[in-house]
Amino acid sequence: MTKDVRLNKYIADCGVCSRRKADEMIEEGLVTINGRKVFELGLKIDPTVDIIKVSGKVIKEATHFVYFLFNKPTQVLTSMSDPSGRPTVADYFAEYKKYRLFPVGRLDWDSEGLLIMTNDGAYSQKVTHPSEEIPKSYMVKINSPLSSGQVDKLKRGVSIVGGKVRARHLAPIKKSGKDTDNNWVSITITEGKNRQVRRMFEKIGIDVLKLRRVSIGRLKIGSVKKGEIRQIPPEMAFRVFS
């Protein structure tokens, strides 16, 4: 007997998008089951019987999962399309269109660094689920040095939109060259809320001038240059969990 699966999970497993984005597409009326448009979240389907269409196209489960590291530049939207015509990560992955990739999580418009791209919906769901508490580390340039009190406050936790969050690690970075007079810190978080790092610093009166994600779990950006793509094997992609 075939086990029914949630519609948003099936859409993600087909490599269309993440589960969260799938829910948005359902609410927007872009998904049909056996020719009937659906809007209700949480519906279950039988993949062996039901015909699912997204934006008028029949979808099928991906049989080959792929994983990419991408060093996202600033002023690039973490999305596969944009109605306003702004640059998106999809612009960099045109030659991989056949895989129907989507970004795992997000990096905001003004941030840069490590972004995972995949067609593996289950992997994406696990990486972004709060219960996994996967550490994400950033290099951050701020407008003034942190006092010991500000450091303590960030480590104890601050309340931002979405709840209370804290820095699991926070330390100054000594940089050489042109940035020697600037203020850089390394910060690690596990929650991954929208614009979390920027909002944490805003909470203590500090402006973020630059923000670069350098690792997710044990997966590091390493030598991947800005705007560069590197396909990685599954065992490397799954380092985020170890």
Side-chain angles (χ1 to χ4, degrees), residues 15-77:
V16 176
C17 59
S18 66
R19 290 193 199 182
R20 180 172 54 205
K21 182 64 177 178
D23 283 337
E24 293 176 7
M25 297 179 83
I26 293 168
E27 290 180 319
E28 291 169 8
L30 300 176
V31 179
T32 64
I33 301 176
N34 302 323
R36 181 175 60 88
K37 192 176 291 188
V38 295
F39 297 92
E40 182 184 347
L41 302 181
L43 288 174
K44 290 190 175 183
I45 59 109
D46 181 347
T48 65
V49 176
D50 296 318
I51 298 173
I52 312 303
K53 290 184 179 181
V54 175
S55 299
K57 296 181 179 179
V58 176
I59 61 172
K60 295 181 179 180
E61 281 190 89
T63 56
H64 177 61
F65 294 128
V66 291
Y67 309 87
F68 295 85
L69 294 188
F70 177 49
N71 190 339
K72 186 189 92 68
T74 57
Q75 299 188 332
V76 173
L77 200 64

Side-chain angles (χ1 to χ4, degrees), residues 225-240:
K225 297 177 181 178
K226 194 179 299 184
E228 187 176 300
I229 297 165
R230 184 170 298 173
Q231 186 169 1
I232 58 173
E235 57 268 25
M236 183 178 288
F238 279 79
R239 286 180 184 176
V240 299

Side-chain angles (χ1 to χ4, degrees), residues 70-88:
F70 177 49
N71 190 339
K72 186 189 92 68
T74 57
Q75 299 188 332
V76 173
L77 200 64
T78 306
S79 174
M80 299 310 287
S81 63
D82 180 52
S84 301
R86 291 174 294 178
T88 71

